[in-house]
Amino acid sequence: MPATITSIAHYFPPDVYTNHYFEQYLETSDEWITERTGIKERRFAKNGATSDLIVPAARECLQRRGMKLEDVDCIIVATVTPDHMFPATACVVQQKLGAPNAWGFDLSAACSGFLFALVTAAKLVEAGGARNVLLCGADKMSAILDFQDRAQAVLFGDGAGVALVEMSDDPELGIIDHILHIDGEGGKYLYQAAGGSAKPASYETVANREHFIHQEGQAVFKAAVKGMADVSVEIMEKNNLTKDDVDWLVPHQANLRIISATAQRMGLPMDKVMVNIDKYANTTAATIPSCLSQWWEAGKLKKGDKIILASFGAGFTWGAVYMKWSL
Ligand code: UT7
């Protein structure tokens, strides 16, 4: 029997920042951002930390399932913007939620964080190591964005998606297959230089703006187009899925051009692709669970739908998951 997602919810902070917001002080334009990325607006949290994005989504997720806080076994937080280097944000979430019997940990895989954590949670549940995992993909990207750099400030947003992973009660439905990769050779193209043990915080690191994101956009773009499309096609072939079999592609939302290229390689029309980058930009670990939650809430995601989740991000990390939706 496979593990599956038994509940899902998301949270975006209320404050909307359109592309015009950046036009006021950076040399950029709504046209450039829209054409190059597909982004029109994003949300930034004015206060609070990543855990504060997670908690409302986690409460909603548990409430939808009718699960008591005492019954939560494990909390995994996928994020690159933890509240602190330590303790783990999972501990903060456990305390803020008040889930007295949960253990948990954080998982760092950048934009692939939700996929890597989903596979980890599924295998933990399938092996009997936990009855359920509260799986949180969340990032407060505004905490590490250089708002003076037009090449990154416009790309990201803040948000959270939370899924509950439990054993499926139907052997046909749930998380069926995965292909995941890392390649540290890609590390030099997308990283946060300082603040870790390799380069602890100092006056110089602050002066040199090394606590913000560093991204070489084109290098990441090229690798992302190939990596996400290749792995999505590979998981289709491995599971004998034709383009007509696939109901939904749920891609990481970094750039609409990367998403379209992946859909094209899979032979899928864009109406089978979940896209929320236009309204929320790249929310890193939150893109995939927030799409799933929004589409499920809108009644567009149906029980039995065959879906492929696909991601590419810093590391490099990338992969795909094939699941049959069970809600
Ligand atoms: O989620 C994690 C993984 N991340 C990704 O997958 C992101 C992958 N990369 C991308 O999505 C794209 O590379 C970007 C959206 C980041 C950039 O788009 P691009 O088409 O690759 O543009 P570029 O970096 O080649 O820059 C083209 C020009 C440059 O000007 P020059 O050198 O041609 O004069 C940039 O300085 O566009 C300029 N530019 C901007 N212009 C207006 C860069 N950012 C902006 C901006 N507004 N915000």
Side-chain angles (χ1 to χ4, degrees):
M1 201 75 87
T4 194
I5 290 175
T6 54
S7 183
I8 188 119
H10 68 280
Y11 174 78
F12 291 113
D15 292 297
V16 179
Y17 293 75
T18 65
N19 291 343
H20 299 297
Y21 166 77
F22 296 100
E23 287 175 340
Q24 296 169 56
Y25 75 100
L26 285 175
E27 210 178 300
T28 189
S29 64
D30 178 40
E31 292 72 34
W32 191 97
I33 302 168
T34 307
E35 274 171 29
R36 298 291 181 113
T37 70
I39 298 165
K40 296 297 287 182
E41 57 189 55
R42 74 286 291 141
R43 308 290 181 93
F44 292 136
K46 284 193 168 149
N47 303 298
T50 296
S51 62
D52 298 303
L53 301 172
I54 292 172
V55 166
R59 287 215 174 97
E60 180 92 58
C61 180
L62 291 172
Q63 201 179 6
R64 285 177 174 171
R65 178 70 174 141
M67 184 177 282
K68 293 202 214 81
L69 284 159
E70 301 83 69
D71 293 329
V72 177
D73 271 1
C74 181
I75 299 169
I76 303 179
V77 175
T79 189
V80 288
T81 52
D83 286 22
H84 310 281
M85 286 287 280
F86 71 91
T89 303
C91 301
V92 182
V93 169
Q94 180 270 341
Q95 188 269 335
K96 284 185 177 170
L97 273 179
N101 300 312
W103 66 289
F105 56 92
D106 289 3
L107 186 150
S108 174
C111 299
S112 300
F114 184 79
L115 279 204
F116 284 27
L118 179 63
V119 173
T120 305
K123 296 303 149 193
L124 185 63
V125 165
E126 285 166 15
R131 284 168 306 166
N132 59 68
V133 176
L134 192 65
L135 171 49
C136 316
D139 273 294
K140 188 188 174 196
M141 296 306 290
S142 59
I144 57 167
L145 277 185
D146 187 345
F147 281 94
Q148 292 180 17
D149 177 7
R150 67 178 183 176
Q152 57 170 285
V154 304
L155 301 177
F156 294 90
D158 301 341
V162 176
L164 194 62
V165 177
E166 298 177 88
M167 287 304 286
S168 177
D169 53 17
D170 182 334
E172 295 294 314
L173 305 181
I175 298 149
I176 294 167
D177 197 12
H178 66 270
I179 304 173
L180 304 177
H181 296 285
I182 63 171
D183 180 4
E185 287 293 326
K188 55 183 173 289
Y189 301 118
L190 180 51
Y191 58 87
Q192 185 180 5
S197 56
K199 207 172 208 188
S202 66
Y203 288 113
E204 287 72 32
T205 61
V206 172
N208 294 335
R209 311 185 76 76
E210 289 179 285
H211 295 271
F212 297 125
I213 294 170
H214 171 92
Q215 174 167 249
E216 291 176 35
Q218 274 197 17
V220 180
F221 185 89
K222 280 184 202 148
V225 165
K226 179 159 169 39
M228 209 158 90
D230 281 354
V231 80
S232 302
V233 169
E234 192 184 344
I235 206 161
M236 280 173 77
E237 287 171 358
K238 194 170 160 218
N239 290 280
N240 298 315
L241 295 168
T242 67
K243 60 182 167 53
D244 298 322
D245 294 328
V246 177
D247 294 297
W248 294 106
L249 166 65
V250 193
H252 171 56
Q253 314 276 311
N255 189 314
L256 190 57
R257 291 183 288 147
I258 301 173
I259 295 171
S260 311
T262 303
Q264 206 173 7
R265 276 279 304 284
M266 296 168 76
L268 295 183
M270 284 305 283
D271 61 4
K272 283 187 170 186
V273 184
M274 296 189 192
V275 174
N276 71 6
I277 190 173
D278 51 334
K279 287 208 163 309
Y280 304 101
N282 182 350
T283 53
T284 306
T287 63
I288 290 174
S290 65
C291 276
L292 286 171
S293 174
Q294 288 184 307
W295 261 249
W296 178 75
E297 277 182 5
K300 291 189 268 186
L301 187 53
K302 303 261 164 38
K303 191 171 185 164
D305 276 358
K306 295 181 176 130
I307 64 182
I308 290 178
L309 318 177
S311 70
F312 191 94
F316 293 139
T317 56
W318 73 105
V321 164
Y322 168 43
M323 66 181 297
K324 285 195 206 161
W325 193 249
S326 57
L327 283 177

